[in-house]
């Protein structure tokens, strides 16, 4: 019987109304323009990412979860970094409702490989709305797409 759940889930988290916070959804938009393997689901998890993402996973069929989001890891704006769940300090990764995502990720990491592709933010406008990603973070989008394609084993001749 075919599973309703994908083997690989790529979830872009963030809100395009808050400047660089729209990075995750922007990367997902670019990925959806590509032909990806059938075992890959790409979703714009938006602002409710932490709540929504867990509904897309089934440890019996989901092997990898890739979260795409901005982060403040002390890098240069637009710098990308792969983070493991263990590299996310408790309380450092929260959704808009202050729910700590690190705790449930710790629970699933032994059954599902979790990778976080983080982009160093330059500016997040929340709670004020500012539509548009900064130039530094915008320039990181093609590299983020390339990193994800490598991670899921897709090569369009550009890697």
């Amino acid at each position: 019987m075919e599973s309703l759940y994908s083997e690989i889930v790529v979830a872009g988290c963030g809100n395009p109304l808050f400047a660089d916070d729209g990075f995750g959804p922007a990367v997902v938009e670019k990925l959806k323009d590509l032909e990806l393997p059938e075992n890959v689901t790409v979703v714009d998890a938006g602002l409710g990412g932490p709540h929504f993402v867990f509904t897309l996973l089934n440890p019996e069929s989901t092997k990898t979860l890739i979260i795409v989001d901005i982060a403040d890891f002390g890098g240069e704006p637009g710098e990308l970094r792969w983070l493991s769940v263990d590299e996310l300090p408790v309380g450092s990764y929260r959704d808009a409702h202050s729910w700590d995502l690190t705790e449930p990720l710790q629970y699933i990491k032994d059954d599902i490989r979790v990778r976080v592709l983080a982009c160093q933010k330059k500016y997040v406008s929340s709670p004020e709305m500012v539509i548009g990603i900064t130039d530094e973070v915008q320039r990181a989008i093609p590299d983020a797409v390339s990193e994800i394609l490598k991670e899921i084993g897709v090569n369009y001749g550009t890697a």
Side-chain angles (χ1 to χ4, degrees):
M1 183 171 131
E2 189 172 314
S3 173
L4 295 174
Y5 298 94
S6 291
E7 186 175 323
I8 300 170
V9 175
V10 180
C13 299
N15 188 336
L17 297 178
F18 300 135
D20 287 347
D21 198 34
F23 175 74
V27 171
V28 163
E29 187 176 315
K30 294 294 183 191
L31 285 169
K32 286 186 172 184
D33 289 341
L34 302 174
E35 187 174 328
L36 298 173
E38 290 182 15
N39 66 340
V40 177
T41 296
V42 177
V43 295
D44 177 351
L47 196 55
H51 307 283
F52 178 55
V53 165
F54 293 104
T55 67
L56 303 172
L57 310 175
N58 178 341
E60 293 181 14
S61 54
T62 307
K63 306 295 182 214
T64 302
L65 167 64
I66 299 171
I67 297 173
V68 185
D69 205 350
I70 57 164
D72 188 359
F73 51 80
E76 293 294 319
E79 183 180 333
L80 297 174
R81 186 174 293 177
W82 283 105
L83 302 173
S84 70
V85 173
D86 293 327
E87 292 174 300
L88 301 172
V90 174
S92 66
Y93 198 68
R94 298 180 181 275
D95 73 351
H97 305 290
S98 297
W99 188 57
D100 187 2
L101 182 62
T102 56
E103 184 178 340
L105 290 176
Q106 287 288 337
Y107 286 122
I108 67 168
K109 73 174 187 174
D110 293 332
D111 297 318
I112 298 172
R113 183 171 173 259
V114 179
R115 303 272 286 154
V116 179
L117 181 57
C119 180
Q120 176 65 48
K121 66 181 181 180
K122 180 178 182 183
Y123 172 65
V124 174
S125 62
S126 179
E128 295 178 29
M129 289 190 286
V130 174
I131 297 173
I133 297 170
T134 61
D135 291 343
E136 292 88 341
V137 171
Q138 184 74 36
R139 286 191 293 267
I141 292 173
D143 290 340
V145 169
S146 179
E147 285 292 317
I148 292 165
L149 292 177
K150 281 191 273 183
E151 190 69 20
I152 64 176
V154 174
N155 183 347
Y156 288 109
T158 57

